[in-house]
Amino acid sequence: MRRDILYGGAALAFGMSITTPLWAVPPAPVSTHVGTIPGQNAVVDEQVFRLPAADGTILEATLLLPRTPSPHPLAIVSGGATAISRIHRGKRDGYNYLAGYFLARGYAVLRPMLRGFAESEGELIGHGCDFAQTAQDNARDIRAVTEAVAQLPSMDPAHIVTAGMSFGGWTQMAMGTAPLPGTKAQLLFFPLMHSSACRNDNASLLSGAREFGEASSLPTLWVQGDNDSLAPTSLWKSMFAAYHEGNPNTRLVDVPPFLNDAHAMLDDPDGLTPWMAHADSLLKSAGLPSKIVMPSYLPLMAPPASGYAALNDIGRLPVHSDTLRDGYRKFLQQDLPRAFVVGDNAVSIGGTGHTVDPIGQALSACKKVTTNCHLYAYDNRVVWQGGPVPTHPQPSPEKQSVTIPTGKTVSIFYSASDENCVARYIPQIHLVQKPLHGTLMLAASAQGHPHYAQGPLVKCNGTILKGAGMRYRPDAGFHGTDTVVLTKQVSADPHDLPQTLSYSFVSP
């Protein structure tokens, strides 16, 4: 399904002048919540507002407040319109990585919901192929909401920055043609829109970008990638050129191909790296805060690929154990973003649940149970740099005492079954201490029945498997205890540490 599909609807006609604020006193939120960023310990104050647009339509907005001294500079962050329709209105926007960028620098972050989105009243605005008018009408609503929130005592209305991604970026381009007083800069991430009511999206996007650029002088950062699934490179570069011609105070960050889709860049912590330094520079030059004051609002960032190993090369894992290999296979099957951490006797995977910090989640889980925790892989690359190698213990020695009736022989069968009762591998066995009072024979290949005492593999005890075997027969006339010690392979990799088995064969 295409993202940012807006269906034509009843749209209101607005003039271009900025209305006088309707609020004699600052508005009050309809709900407040003190919470932490998922996967982080950073506390954020969330306030939800329901505020009227110029025509009285009630619009929903969320204000995120960092735990830094107020008054806060204000960042207006508009989201995309993925799968939004008259039937599916979507959910209220809250924290995301772009919001985290601003929170970490002490900004309050306003997430306005357009009419027809989430719990905002009204219907989606659409003007067919007039994409510029669609953006202007939505921008008018955002202005009304922002004017009200900017009056809060905790806000610094003299220091405002706007930012938007996808359809939100397209709307913020329109905001930039008549910015609120105090707006110093804007950040545009892959700005565009599509409409099923328009057969020539490209022409509408180009003309709209040109119109917005001619009407704006705001310092602007435009961020876009070469593998954007919703905008061919030739299209968005033409859009940028058209906008830049009118507003030369615009800088482009041309991101190399990003994972599978640059349009999803802000869904992964890796998507922060290409543009943060450029955004900091823009904010600083515009007289806005640009330094991180609360790093805990951002996820931990992964280093680049180390070159230590290819992602799928399980044989290069720093520790040889089935536990590590099984954990890594699960990591490889997980959706992005994801992180794999190794520690002494433990592994952990980050990116599960609703965490916004896969690396932090994995490191925290590892440190709760062990030490020497290190990031091995992130997303689609190995980042392991070497260093102290986590240890995994040698399998616990096992001792058995076996009483052998006179004249009898004891046979022991070794196998390794999977959950389908199929041999995973044939265990290698090696003699460490031979018997002094009997005859021993080791069979590197044998067939027999496993003897699981408990667990899910008990069901395999009636199945004939391939494995290895040992046979011991005491010498005639011997009475006493004879000892045999051997080692047995315990994982599919024969290089893993084996288990030591000690047998006391008793001849009464």
Side-chain angles (χ1 to χ4, degrees):
M1 178 178 293
R2 298 175 72 189
R3 302 189 190 108
D4 292 80
I5 303 297
L6 297 185
Y7 297 93
L12 296 171
F14 295 105
M16 289 301 297
S17 62
I18 299 177
T19 58
T20 303
L22 302 175
W23 298 87
V25 295
V30 296
S31 68
T32 60
H33 174 71
V34 178
T36 57
I37 305 300
Q40 298 280 67
N41 293 321
V43 177
V44 64
D45 295 309
E46 180 185 89
Q47 299 179 355
V48 179
F49 292 85
R50 293 183 60 79
L51 302 167
D55 67 340
T57 300
I58 301 300
L59 304 175
E60 185 178 46
T62 301
L63 183 66
L64 304 175
L65 296 168
R67 289 298 178 95
T68 56
S70 62
H72 305 288
L74 178 61
I76 308 165
V77 177
S78 294
T82 301
I84 297 296
S85 68
R86 286 191 175 91
I87 298 174
H88 179 73
R89 301 171 70 95
K91 296 181 179 180
R92 176 171 56 87
D93 288 337
Y95 176 92
N96 64 1
Y97 295 125
L98 183 54
Y101 167 82
F102 288 111
L103 288 169
R105 288 156 177 78
Y107 287 77
V109 177
L110 180 64
R111 304 299 313 273
M113 302 307 298
L114 305 178
R115 61 179 67 204
F117 285 59
E119 295 299 320
S120 288
E121 295 179 354
E123 298 295 330
L124 300 176
I125 295 174
H127 293 284
C129 289
D130 192 348
F131 289 0
Q133 189 61 52
T134 298
Q136 290 288 11
D137 289 356
N138 280 304
R140 183 59 56 90
D141 286 347
I142 294 177
R143 289 191 192 98
V145 169
T146 305
E147 285 175 340
V149 171
Q151 296 181 58
L152 294 170
S154 57
M155 297 296 101
D156 176 4
H159 293 87
I160 297 174
V161 58
T162 67
M165 53 213 123
S166 195
F167 181 65
W170 183 253
T171 302
Q172 290 297 350
M173 288 175 71
M175 280 278 289
T177 64
L180 290 170
T183 303
K184 307 295 185 183
Q186 64 179 353
L187 280 67
L188 307 176
F189 294 86
F190 30 91
L192 84 165
M193 68 168 286
H194 294 294
S195 174
S196 59
C198 183
R199 294 185 177 182
N200 191 358
D201 285 5
N202 292 6
S204 297
L205 289 167
L206 283 171
S207 62
R210 182 173 291 105
E211 176 182 327
F212 295 149
E214 291 173 350
S216 178
S217 59
L218 273 180
T220 301
L221 189 70
W222 183 309
V223 181
Q224 197 135 6
D226 285 335
N227 62 327
D228 191 316
S229 65
L230 294 186
T233 302
S234 58
L235 170 62
W236 70 255
K237 286 192 173 181
S238 296
M239 291 171 59
F240 171 78
Y243 185 86
H244 182 267
E245 184 178 355
N247 181 7
N249 200 12
T250 303
R251 186 188 318 167
L252 173 66
V253 178
D254 188 348
V255 180
F258 183 83
L259 297 178
N260 297 323
D261 184 2
H263 207 80
M265 185 189 313
L266 294 178
D267 294 339
D268 191 301
D270 262 1
L272 295 167
T273 303
W275 58 268
M276 279 203 304
H278 299 283
D280 289 346
S281 177
L282 175 73
L283 296 178
K284 182 178 180 180
S285 64
L288 291 166
S290 61
K291 293 183 178 180
I292 293 177
V293 293
M294 287 285 285
S296 56
Y297 287 123
L298 285 170
L300 295 179
M301 306 298 291
S306 64
Y308 170 79
L311 181 72
N312 294 318
D313 190 351
I314 294 179
R316 292 296 307 280
L317 289 169
V319 176
H320 294 289
S321 78
D322 272 353
T323 299
L324 187 67
R325 286 187 289 270
D326 289 345
Y328 194 64
R329 291 187 182 98
K330 292 178 181 177
F331 161 78
L332 292 176
Q333 294 172 357
Q334 186 164 304
D335 293 335
L336 307 185
R338 60 190 180 185
F340 186 75
V341 166
V342 295
D344 289 343
N345 314 327
V347 300
S348 59
I349 301 173
T352 58
H354 300 288
T355 183
V356 300
D357 188 2
I359 298 175
Q361 181 189 41
L363 285 172
S364 176
C366 180
K367 291 175 182 178
K368 287 180 180 178
V369 297
T370 189
T371 57
N372 199 21
C373 297
H374 298 278
L375 180 66
Y376 178 80
Y378 180 80
D379 275 0
N380 289 333
R381 65 187 184 274
V382 172
V383 301
W384 175 261
Q385 299 281 354
V389 177
T391 59
H392 282 249
Q394 184 170 357
S396 300
E398 184 177 309
K399 295 182 179 181
Q400 293 186 35
S401 179
V402 181
T403 299
I404 306 174
T406 301
K408 298 296 184 180
T409 298
V410 63
S411 296
I412 299 177
F413 179 68
Y414 307 100
S415 64
S417 174
D418 63 16
E419 59 184 12
N420 296 316
C421 301
V422 176
R424 296 170 52 221
Y425 58 90
I426 297 178
Q428 297 180 11
I429 53 177
H430 299 280
L431 183 63
V432 176
Q433 180 180 329
K434 65 181 181 181
L436 299 178
H437 307 285
T439 302
L440 182 74
M441 184 180 71
L442 300 181
S445 178
Q447 287 188 331
H449 296 281
H451 297 280
Y452 294 104
Q454 58 184 1
L457 296 182
V458 169
K459 66 182 181 180
C460 301
N461 286 347
T463 303
I464 296 178
L465 296 176
K466 291 182 178 180
M470 176 186 74
R471 179 175 294 179
Y472 170 82
R473 182 180 180 87
D475 292 338
F478 173 71
H479 300 282
T481 301
D482 202 2
T483 300
V484 172
V485 179
L486 53 81
T487 61
K488 182 191 71 165
Q489 178 184 346
V490 294
S491 74
D493 189 337
H495 298 97
D496 290 353
L497 293 173
Q499 182 181 30
T500 299
L501 303 177
S502 179
Y503 295 97
S504 297
F505 294 121
V506 180
S507 299

